[in-house]
């Protein structure tokens, strides 16, 4: 479903990494680790095709980094759900509106939108919060809403960029549990983190970005 072939990405003529090779199958869960600045967010942005490889090839679903056209990007992105450390909810809208907003461009009927919003809120256990404003929620609740938003278009892959970076250990585990639950329904997940405690609690594939000599390399350390 996702393949990196000899991927290099350079920023200002400096390789962030090169020779990245890995695959992710449908429904797989994988942690992406590496210290700050190793290139985790860059790798996720490459999958989102926000940026393109300087060398090599990424294929995701039916899309290929060498042939993708700007007009295909919205379709590609509908197949991805993205979650960030800082939640990125729209502060001036309530939770229901934050979620329905994502469906606006998809030509769904208002009945469908309502059902999808309610289903994804149920998935993260926050139906009762639908009329709250983002600033009335705790950090853990905000991140659960961000997860609900990420799954609302039934993506094949969720990209979580340090989703527990602003949360305490207990809440972090709750977020991991929710993503595991969504994963068991068949959605692949890439979970970037530098929280090694979380890794211990779930025996999943791990991809580590490490500094090589002149660049950073990626390797599977555990299957
Ligand atoms: N658009 C950009 N602006 C600034 N720095 C960038 C950019 N793209 C890549 N980099 C560089 O890429 C490296 C990896 O950054 P990043 O992917 O954010 O790492 P991580 O998410 O693992 O902390 C950093 O050294 C950073 O300087
Ligand atoms: Mg990052």
């Amino acid at each position: 479903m996702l393949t990196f072939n000899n991927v290099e990405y350079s920023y200002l003529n400096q390789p962030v990494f090169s020779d990245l090779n890995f695959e992710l199958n449908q429904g797989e869960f994988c942690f992406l680790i590496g210290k700050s600045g190793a290139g985790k967010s860059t790798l996720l942005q490459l999958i989102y095709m926000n940026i393109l490889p300087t060398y090599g090839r990424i294929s995701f679903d039916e899309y290929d980094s060498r042939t993708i056209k700007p007009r295909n990007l919205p379709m590609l992105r509908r197949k991805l759900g993205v979650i960030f450390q800082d939640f990125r909810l729209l502060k001036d809208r309530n939770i229901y509106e934050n979620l329905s907003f994502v469906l606006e461009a998809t030509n769904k009927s208002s009945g469908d939108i309502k059902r999808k919003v309610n289903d994804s809120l149920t998935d993260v256990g926050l139906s009762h919060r639908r009329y709250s404003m983002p600033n009335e929620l705790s950090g853990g609740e905000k991140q659960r809403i961000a997860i609900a938003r990420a799954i609302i278009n039934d993506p094949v892959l969720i990209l979580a960029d340090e989703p527990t970076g602003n949360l305490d250990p207990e809440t972090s585990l709750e977020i991991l549990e929710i993503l595991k639950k969504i994963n068991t329904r068949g959605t692949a997940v890439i979970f970037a983190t530098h929280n090694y405690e979380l890794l211990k609690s779930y025996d999943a594939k791990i991809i580590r970005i490490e500094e090589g000599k002149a660049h950073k390399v990626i390797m599977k350390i555990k299957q």
Side-chain angles (χ1 to χ4, degrees):
M1 181 205 45
L2 174 70
T3 314
F4 273 55
N5 280 120
N6 301 322
V7 171
E8 176 184 298
Y9 180 74
S10 293
Y11 175 68
L12 302 176
N13 286 325
Q14 280 284 101
V16 175
F17 39 59
S18 54
D19 267 333
L20 289 196
N21 289 287
F22 74 95
E23 277 181 28
L24 193 75
N25 297 318
Q26 214 166 346
E28 210 171 357
F29 188 108
C30 118
F31 287 111
L32 174 63
I33 61 169
K35 54 187 183 197
S36 270
K40 301 181 293 299
S41 299
T42 304
L43 189 152
L44 297 179
Q45 286 200 58
L46 283 164
I47 300 169
Y48 204 65
M49 300 201 192
N50 214 10
I51 51 177
L52 293 170
T54 325
Y55 183 81
R57 167 180 177 229
I58 298 166
S59 71
F60 166 65
D61 198 75
E62 68 200 75
Y63 305 97
D64 186 311
S65 61
R66 294 172 308 184
T67 52
I68 185 96
K69 302 273 186 307
R71 66 183 149 83
N72 301 134
L73 287 173
M75 289 305 288
L76 174 147
R77 289 171 184 171
R78 234 165 266 166
K79 298 194 167 180
L80 292 166
V82 196
I83 306 163
F84 301 96
Q85 176 170 350
D86 57 0
F87 323 123
R88 304 199 187 175
L89 303 179
L90 301 168
K91 292 185 177 61
D92 60 341
R93 293 162 204 239
N94 70 24
I95 297 313
Y96 186 93
E97 292 161 340
N98 263 273
L99 299 189
S100 60
F101 179 74
V102 184
L103 296 168
E104 271 170 22
T106 59
N107 292 325
K108 291 207 162 38
S109 69
S110 60
D112 276 353
I113 291 178
K114 196 169 176 185
R115 191 167 38 78
K116 279 194 157 288
V117 171
N118 289 337
D119 286 353
S120 54
L121 282 173
T122 304
D123 284 336
V124 300
L126 288 178
S127 300
H128 58 290
R129 286 301 216 169
R130 64 169 68 94
Y131 299 121
S132 301
M133 295 301 283
N135 67 5
E136 295 170 324
L137 306 187
S138 69
E141 286 176 324
K142 282 182 194 153
Q143 197 56 297
R144 281 153 68 189
I145 296 300
I147 294 173
R149 180 181 57 187
I151 61 175
I152 207 160
N153 275 318
D154 301 315
V156 293
L157 172 61
I158 291 180
L159 307 176
D161 194 354
E162 310 221 26
T164 61
N166 285 341
L167 304 175
D168 60 67
E170 199 179 320
T171 311
S172 298
L173 273 176
E174 281 170 27
I175 295 299
L176 176 60
E177 287 302 324
I178 290 173
L179 288 171
K180 275 159 69 172
K181 182 181 87 179
I182 291 163
N183 172 247
T184 58
R185 301 192 309 211
T187 311
V189 176
I190 301 181
F191 190 120
T193 185
H194 54 242
N195 180 344
Y196 291 82
E197 286 301 311
L198 279 183
L199 304 189
K200 289 186 200 154
S201 68
Y202 192 32
D203 189 23
K205 180 174 180 174
I206 299 174
I207 294 168
R208 186 207 301 269
I209 309 180
E210 272 189 343
E211 273 191 77
K213 261 188 186 160
H215 53 256
K216 290 153 189 168
V217 295
I218 199 159
M219 58 178 194
K220 269 187 249 176
I221 55 173
K222 182 164 91 161
Q223 189 76 47

